[in-house]
Amino acid sequence: MHIQDILARRRPSFSFEFFPPKSASAWEHLYAAIVELQAYDPSFVSVTYGAGGSTRDATHDLVVRIKETTDIPPVPHLTCVGHSEEEIDAILLRYAEAGVSNILALRGDPPHDWPDYDWSDCSFRYAEDLVAFIKKFNDSGRHPDPRGFGVGVAGFPEGHPTTPNRLEELEHLKAKVDAGADYVCTQLFFDNHDFLDFRDRCRHAGIDVPIIAGIMPVTSTKGMRRMAELAAGARFPAKLLRALDRAGDDPAAVEKVGIHYAAQQCIELLDHDVDGIHFYTLNKSNATREIYASMGMAPATGD
């Protein structure tokens, strides 16, 4: 199902993100989580793509498995790093032939072993270039949907870490939308004011596609530090830090605090008419299911 149809079918949308596991046992644990979360009728699930395309085949395999064994539309991530136009074209054709209808187009990060990666030598320097190429593929008529792939792009409520000029940053985002993006999915954030102001600034800049809020609950202090590293520039409000401090070294208490905080974020976002909420699940289902329960949303009974 094309993302335009998915987002038109239900507003707000609810969606999840997964990443390809590295071991056979982790694959089975992930698939158990997917089965549990399928009961919540997600609008779609996205599947990440490793730095420099390092999980290309694993991403494809997980996407195809989700498509063939569940009713959830999968949305694979695709990044610019290290790819020629011929490689991207081949990846898109492979997904089109598998009946995959949507792509999340990202600039991406070079692998750690490419410290001197030179973007000037790339076929795709920016996500805008990748979006435009996907739209060119769509125009070729090689996708079974006459519209071709639906395309999503990333947004950064707290600001992109490599673009300190916030006016310029919005210009880059608008360029991605003008190139053909159908929606924006944001980086994680912990202060809803950042998201709501970002949404208002996007509308002021003429970005009128759906803007989906990315939520990742803190489930451990180690995980929080990892979030801070991966989402460079992420702000952890004092209110959240004080609550985590009160939880001390009790892992169960830390998880409970993180889930409660994320649930309150989601409830407030719903009250502010958010277009959708995207949960960064870390390949687990418990935290997301707890948040759903706090929002008063139960899984389908199957009756």
Side-chain angles (χ1 to χ4, degrees):
M1 183 183 293
H2 195 281
I3 195 66
Q4 291 177 1
D5 301 328
I6 291 170
L7 298 180
R9 181 174 67 96
R10 184 175 70 188
R11 186 176 181 277
S13 64
F14 292 94
S15 52
F16 310 131
E17 179 174 287
F18 303 111
F19 59 85
K22 295 182 179 180
S23 68
S25 61
W27 272 90
E28 295 314 311
H29 283 121
L30 167 60
Y31 207 68
I34 292 173
V35 170
E36 289 177 337
L37 291 173
Q38 182 179 205
Y40 292 86
D41 188 29
S43 301
F44 63 90
V45 298
S46 68
V47 180
T48 66
Y49 195 72
S54 57
T55 64
R56 182 192 310 184
D57 290 336
T59 296
H60 179 273
D61 292 345
L62 179 54
V63 166
V64 171
R65 184 173 182 182
I66 291 171
K67 186 177 187 305
E68 292 181 345
T69 61
T70 76
D71 297 324
I72 314 171
V75 179
H77 292 199
L78 186 58
T79 66
C80 300
V81 181
H83 285 312
S84 66
E85 290 189 358
E86 292 76 15
E87 288 173 326
I88 292 294
D89 188 81
I91 292 169
L92 293 173
L93 182 59
R94 190 181 182 193
Y95 278 130
E97 291 175 343
V100 175
S101 298
N102 305 288
I103 297 286
L104 187 63
L106 308 166
R107 189 186 195 205
D109 300 313
H112 292 301
D113 57 356
W114 290 3
D116 300 320
Y117 188 79
D118 186 358
W119 284 99
S120 65
D121 291 336
C122 294
S123 298
F124 306 94
R125 293 188 64 183
Y126 303 104
E128 171 193 351
D129 303 323
L130 182 56
V131 174
F133 189 84
I134 295 171
K135 288 302 180 179
K136 181 179 176 182
F137 179 94
N138 291 348
D139 292 340
S140 74
R142 288 180 288 165
H143 195 285
D145 188 317
R147 295 168 293 183
F149 288 103
V151 182
V153 293
F156 298 83
E158 297 175 331
H160 194 286
T162 64
T163 311
N165 184 326
R166 296 295 167 246
L167 296 177
E168 181 181 340
E169 178 192 27
L170 274 186
E171 291 171 0
H172 291 326
L173 180 56
K174 190 173 189 307
K176 291 190 286 188
V177 172
D178 290 346
D182 297 292
Y183 73 102
V184 174
C185 186
T186 79
Q187 175 67 277
L188 64 91
F189 59 91
F190 295 99
D191 189 330
N192 285 353
H193 291 98
D194 290 325
F195 173 82
L196 296 172
D197 183 69
F198 170 76
R199 184 178 67 176
D200 287 347
R201 287 185 289 117
C202 284
R203 300 306 184 219
H204 179 74
I207 299 168
D208 57 4
V209 297
I211 299 175
I212 296 173
I215 295 294
M216 181 185 285
V218 173
T219 55
S220 70
T221 52
K222 181 179 178 181
M224 182 175 69
R225 293 189 177 278
R226 181 64 173 155
M227 284 183 214
E229 180 181 336
L230 291 175
R235 237 172 21 90
F236 294 86
K239 179 181 178 181
L240 172 60
L241 294 176
R242 285 195 296 267
L244 291 170
D245 284 346
R246 288 193 293 271
D249 297 325
D250 182 345
V254 169
E255 182 177 29
K256 185 174 292 186
V257 166
I259 291 172
H260 174 77
Y261 188 92
Q264 293 303 305
Q265 275 192 273
C266 292
I267 291 168
E268 184 179 31
L269 290 169
L270 293 176
D271 288 344
H272 283 82
D273 202 28
V274 69
D275 291 320
I277 296 176
H278 188 68
F279 294 99
Y280 296 105
T281 69
L282 299 179
N283 285 11
K284 300 174 182 178
S285 68
N286 178 64
T288 305
R289 290 188 287 114
E290 291 289 338
I291 293 170
Y292 265 73
S294 294
M295 293 190 295
M297 300 170 62
T301 62
D303 294 337

